[in-house]
Amino acid sequence: MNHAAIRSQFPLLNCLQEEDYPLCYLDNAATAQKPAMVLQAMDAFYRQQNANVHRGSYQLSAAATAAVEASRDKLQRFINAEQRQEVIFTHGTTESLNMLAYGLEPQLQAGDLILVDSAAHHANIVPWQQLALRTGAQVVPIPLDEELRLDDAACKLLLAKRPKIVALSHVSNVLGTVNNITALCQRIRAAGAISVVDGAQAVAHLPVDVQALGCDFYAFSGHKMYGPTGVGILWGKLAQLEQLTPMLTGGEMIKTVSFSGSTFGALPHRLEAGTPPIAEIIGLAAAVDFLTQFVDANSRQHEQRLLQQLRDGLLAMPAVELYAAHADNLGAIAFNIRGEHHHDVGALLDQQGIAIRCGHHCAMPLMSLMALNGCCRASLGIYNNEQDVARFLAALQQTIALLTEEI
């Protein structure tokens, strides 16, 4: 399928903004737009199939249950999980990482070391800090080098201290830098630690094979990969998942309940208490269908060419300061206009129909390392095209002129 045909599947991209500007959407790292097949799948569930799952003895409930479990099978194939029970439905990456930080608590004690990527999203920092407070463990950041990548030498020294958990980003949500997860997880495994990977920014931009990556846990969200909000995946090796203490308890995840005590059921339902986000799970499966059918090596190369076009255009503007704009980055580029506040830049771009993200991007420790109070971020999706990048660059030139003109 050609790129124009892919773009045509996203209804919101045809909407006009204020002043009749067509939407130029460059905030895909925050959330991606949804193709028609995702919207249709969720609408069809509510119109034709709406029932609770795993509990009903009637046909409608059986059909809804079958749709959810078929979605699990689809996700298993999508990330190449060894077993379907390893795919746990959550409400997103944040809940997945909190589930891990709670579930791993019995395996930690005072003095244990938890290493965290210095470029991590807050969702991969704060849960580990809370775990450390509960257990007396210590959270230590893995430093970044001058290129704002993980410092290899520092990482080796920290792993020599035999940490219990190492939490990494697959792709930085701010900078778009990519960690070599396969190599890092080999070292982490050799050090006897548990590896946790936040894959929220990776799944829309590159194929993910959890067995090849070699991590213990991998988490991601549906809404970053053209699926719905409110649904995500926690994948883990089966033996590791079986050791987790459930964070949420109640219905669905139990085997027996009495007032003398309760016993928990088997995976995956043991970690899926309550009614799941059924329509969202079905929508996520449709997003997997979209990625599987329409996103291939050529479309990914197209996305990388756009990122290079974006990078080259920004480099040509003397007023723009780029951060870690490496050729092998994925999806996003971070920048500021020298001497100007990032929110002013974002507001002026918005007036021209350009949607980017400005702020600390839920990565305040990274902002502190960069000596910034925030920055602008333009992030690409599979539907963006050369015209989007050209419009953004022209609008940014106009914004620079407006901000820097003499009064």
Side-chain angles (χ1 to χ4, degrees), residues 17-19 21 344-354 402:
Q17 304 303 290
E18 291 184 15
E19 308 298 331
Y21 281 108
D344 293 337
V345 176
L348 288 170
L349 288 173
D350 179 53
Q351 292 175 17
Q352 301 172 74
I354 313 293
L402 289 169

Side-chain angles (χ1 to χ4, degrees), residues 97-106 128 131 134 245-248:
L97 294 171
N98 274 273
M99 286 175 63
L100 285 177
Y102 183 88
L104 290 168
E105 182 173 337
W128 305 116
L131 174 59
R134 296 194 300 269
T245 300
M247 181 176 74
L248 300 175

Side-chain angles (χ1 to χ4, degrees), residues 89-164:
F89 291 120
T90 70
H91 290 98
T93 307
T94 297
E95 184 179 57
S96 296
L97 294 171
N98 274 273
M99 286 175 63
L100 285 177
Y102 183 88
L104 290 168
E105 182 173 337
Q107 301 180 44
L108 267 72
Q109 58 187 6
D112 283 343
L113 195 62
I114 303 170
L115 304 183
V116 177
D117 183 349
S118 283
H121 189 282
H122 294 166
N124 206 14
I125 298 174
V126 181
W128 305 116
Q129 291 175 330
Q130 295 301 303
L131 174 59
L133 287 173
R134 296 194 300 269
T135 61
Q138 182 184 9
V139 173
V140 175
I142 305 172
L144 305 182
D145 62 19
E146 293 181 355
E147 294 187 337
L148 296 178
R149 302 180 190 268
L150 280 181
D151 187 311
D152 189 64
C155 188
K156 288 179 180 178
L157 289 174
L158 287 169
L159 287 175
K161 297 183 178 181
R162 309 293 290 183
K164 283 294 183 72

Side-chain angles (χ1 to χ4, degrees), residues 51-52 57 70 151 173 224 233 241 273 316 330 374:
N52 214 328
S57 57
D151 187 311
N173 73 298
K224 311 282 190 182
I233 297 295
L241 289 171
L330 287 176

Side-chain angles (χ1 to χ4, degrees), residues 162-183:
R162 309 293 290 183
K164 283 294 183 72
I165 297 169
V166 181
L168 303 169
S169 310
H170 197 163
V171 177
S172 165
N173 73 298
V174 180
L175 305 172
T177 49
V178 184
N179 283 324
N180 187 342
I181 294 299
T182 301

Side-chain angles (χ1 to χ4, degrees), residues 246 249-266 269-270:
T249 55
E252 185 63 30
M253 55 78 65
I254 52 83
K255 183 177 181 181
T256 63
V257 174
S258 71
F259 280 106
S260 61
S262 302
T263 58
F264 300 154
H269 305 303
R270 187 171 69 86

